[in-house]
Amino acid sequence: MKKATLILDRDFSIGRVDPRMYGSFIEHLGRAVYGGIYEPGHPTADKNGFRQDVIDMVKKLGVPVVRYPGGNFVSGFNWEDSVGPRDQRPKRLDLAWFTTETNEVGLHEFCDWAKKADTQVMYAVNLGTRGPDAARNIVEYANHKGGSYWSDLRIKNGAKDPLNIKLRV
């Protein structure tokens, strides 16, 4: 049997570890969003339906960044479905997970949750069934101050100031 030896010396370092290495992701799959971070009927839910116990744990863990809207889910996701009045958002079949996405938790709600959890948003764009133009539009929607179609739509949807999403994948 082969053996290996590891010596750790906290006074010796090769370089700084980027804090984003300790990031996480949230996907509209299973109980990650609905019943995970968002569960209006939960005893710890705040007025917006976010579970305070989950927010507290994310803060305690010091999660620096959370990728949203997740992994494989994003490959069939239309970001435009996740903005605007909740009661007007379309329900869509998610062909990867064989579920119906209600879009009850969307971009604005997730950004609000991230602020409460003291974490940054890393926004995932759909390059599976969409393309660079849709990616450009979400960047404009989220980050441009105003005076363009997408930024003015964000303002109309209740966010006067840009959402300031700095990380995109």
Side-chain angles (χ1 to χ4, degrees):
M1 179 194 305
K2 293 184 179 182
K3 291 186 178 184
T5 303
L6 177 66
I7 300 171
L8 299 176
D9 183 347
R10 66 176 161 194
D11 293 326
F12 178 77
S13 65
I14 295 172
R16 182 181 159 275
V17 174
D18 188 318
R20 292 178 293 181
M21 289 287 295
Y22 304 105
S24 186
F25 79 98
I26 285 290
E27 183 170 10
H28 289 253
L29 163 69
R31 291 189 58 226
V33 173
Y34 305 112
I37 67 169
Y38 178 80
E39 189 176 358
H42 193 273
T44 69
D46 66 14
K47 65 181 175 120
N48 298 313
F50 293 120
R51 289 180 51 173
Q52 190 62 49
D53 60 332
V54 175
I55 291 171
D56 292 343
M57 183 56 68
V58 172
K59 284 181 174 183
K60 183 178 178 181
L61 291 171
V63 178
V65 62
V66 178
R67 189 179 77 229
Y68 177 82
N72 192 50
F73 170 82
V74 78
S75 66
F77 179 66
N78 298 334
W79 72 266
E80 301 90 341
D81 294 346
S82 76
V83 299
R86 283 183 179 179
D87 62 347
Q88 294 176 23
R89 294 178 191 169
K91 293 175 174 58
R92 302 252 188 223
L93 293 177
D94 180 82
L95 301 178
W97 302 119
F98 306 108
T99 59
T100 299
E101 173 53 48
T102 64
N103 288 300
E104 191 173 347
V105 172
L107 176 62
H108 291 256
E109 292 82 15
F110 184 75
C111 287
D112 290 345
W113 176 86
K115 283 179 189 169
K116 292 177 182 187
D118 293 332
T119 190
Q120 276 190 296
V121 174
M122 177 187 289
Y123 197 80
V125 296
N126 176 358
L127 296 176
T129 58
R130 304 289 300 275
D133 196 49
R136 177 186 63 85
N137 293 342
I138 183 60
V139 170
E140 181 181 316
Y141 181 93
N143 293 339
H144 190 64
K145 187 170 182 163
S148 70
Y149 175 81
W150 293 111
S151 61
D152 289 349
L153 182 59
R154 181 200 69 244
I155 293 166
K156 180 182 172 189
N157 288 334
K160 180 180 182 252
D161 295 323
L163 302 172
N164 291 321
I165 297 173
K166 301 298 180 194
L167 302 167
R168 295 165 296 279
V169 292

